[in-house]
């Protein structure tokens, strides 16, 4: 089971969709609070029991108290080892290993599909205009420089009115100080 805490229900929805479409059919969204509460932190639980595999291949013989220990003392104080008895032959055990390996491979494929859906080319579609810190800083800097250049161009074209300074002169001066 993989649990992913999300900021909101709208952030949880694409993760849940990716999990279910990848084959994790038992996945869902849960929260300690009501999901309609704005302070709720939805948790996406990515899970699947469809590839679970169990088989009895042997038993441990002996007293039930002795089976709880690897090496137990009998009434005389002598050490007695557990007796493990195989119920299946080598051929059947090899077949079980093959089935288990096929299930591991199928689960690995589900995980690859889930990762591709989350981190692949769908990032913009799923997360909107989210950007990391460095990208945002670069974008804001470029926007600021472009705005400064526009203010300079407007100032040169219009010039100050009545020989005094206007609002754009103040903004331009503030931007020059920041530079």
């Amino acid at each position: 089971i993989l649990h992913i805490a999300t900021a909101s229900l709208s952030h949880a929805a694409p993760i849940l969709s990716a999990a279910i479409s990848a084959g994790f059919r038992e996945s869902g969204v849960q929260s300690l609070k009501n999901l309609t509460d704005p302070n709720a932190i939805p948790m996406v639980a990515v899970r699947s029991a469809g590839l679970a595999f169990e088989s009895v291949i042997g038993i441990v013989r002996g007293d039930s108290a002795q089976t709880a220990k690897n090496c137990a003392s009998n009434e005389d104080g002598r050490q007695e080892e557990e007796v493990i008895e195989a119920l299946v032959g080598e051929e059947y055990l090899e077949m079980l290993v093959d089935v288990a390996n096929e299930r591991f491979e199928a689960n690995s494929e589900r995980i690859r599909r889930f990762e591709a859906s989350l981190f692949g080319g769908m990032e913009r579609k799923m997360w909107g205009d989210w950007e990391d810190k460095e990208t945002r800083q670069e974008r804001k800097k470029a926007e600021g420089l472009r705005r400064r250049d526009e203010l300079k161009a407007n100032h040169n074209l219009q010039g100050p009115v009545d020989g005094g300074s206007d609002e754009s002169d103040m903004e331009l001066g503030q931007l020059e100080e920041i530079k």
Side-chain angles (χ1 to χ4, degrees):
I1 297 176
L2 170 67
H3 289 97
I4 303 169
T6 61
S8 69
L9 199 52
S10 63
H11 288 95
I15 297 171
L16 179 61
S17 176
I20 290 173
S21 67
F24 296 102
R25 304 272 181 239
E26 292 82 20
S27 298
V29 177
Q30 56 195 22
S31 178
L32 294 176
K33 296 181 179 185
N34 184 343
L35 286 172
T36 58
D37 182 344
N39 295 323
I41 300 174
M43 182 88 58
V44 179
V46 179
R47 58 183 170 249
S48 179
L51 296 174
F53 185 66
E54 295 180 25
S55 181
V56 177
I57 59 171
I59 58 172
V60 178
R61 298 274 185 198
D63 185 6
S64 62
Q66 289 179 342
T67 59
K69 301 176 185 175
N70 189 20
C71 191
S73 298
N74 64 11
E75 293 138 5
D76 299 339
R78 291 179 298 150
Q79 297 288 319
E80 263 185 45
E81 297 215 9
E82 296 176 338
V83 177
I84 301 173
E85 184 179 328
L87 296 177
V88 298
E90 291 270 334
E91 192 174 301
Y92 184 75
L93 193 56
E94 287 175 11
M95 189 263 316
L96 291 177
V97 169
D98 289 342
V99 170
N101 285 336
E102 287 173 10
R103 291 185 181 209
F104 274 117
E105 191 174 312
N107 194 50
S108 294
E109 179 57 32
R110 284 182 181 181
I111 292 169
R112 279 191 289 276
R113 286 193 310 260
F114 179 58
E115 286 176 339
S117 184
L118 276 182
F119 305 117
M122 296 177 59
E123 275 186 358
R124 284 249 179 240
K125 181 179 176 186
M126 288 175 59
W127 306 114
D129 293 332
W130 183 88
E131 57 192 7
D132 62 22
K133 181 180 176 182
E134 291 79 20
T135 305
R136 184 175 194 282
Q137 284 176 338
E138 289 174 21
R139 181 179 57 81
K140 289 295 211 176
K141 183 178 179 179
E143 286 174 2
L145 293 173
R146 188 172 44 252
R147 184 162 177 356
R148 183 192 67 189
D149 292 343
E150 288 172 3
L151 286 172
K152 276 185 180 178
N154 284 343
H155 178 71
N156 289 339
L157 290 176
Q158 295 174 354
V161 180
D162 297 333
S165 70
D166 61 8
E167 199 173 300
S168 64
D169 287 338
M170 283 198 313
E171 288 183 36
L172 184 61
Q174 290 169 346
L175 287 173
E176 290 295 331
E177 290 174 16
I178 293 172
K179 187 174 104 173

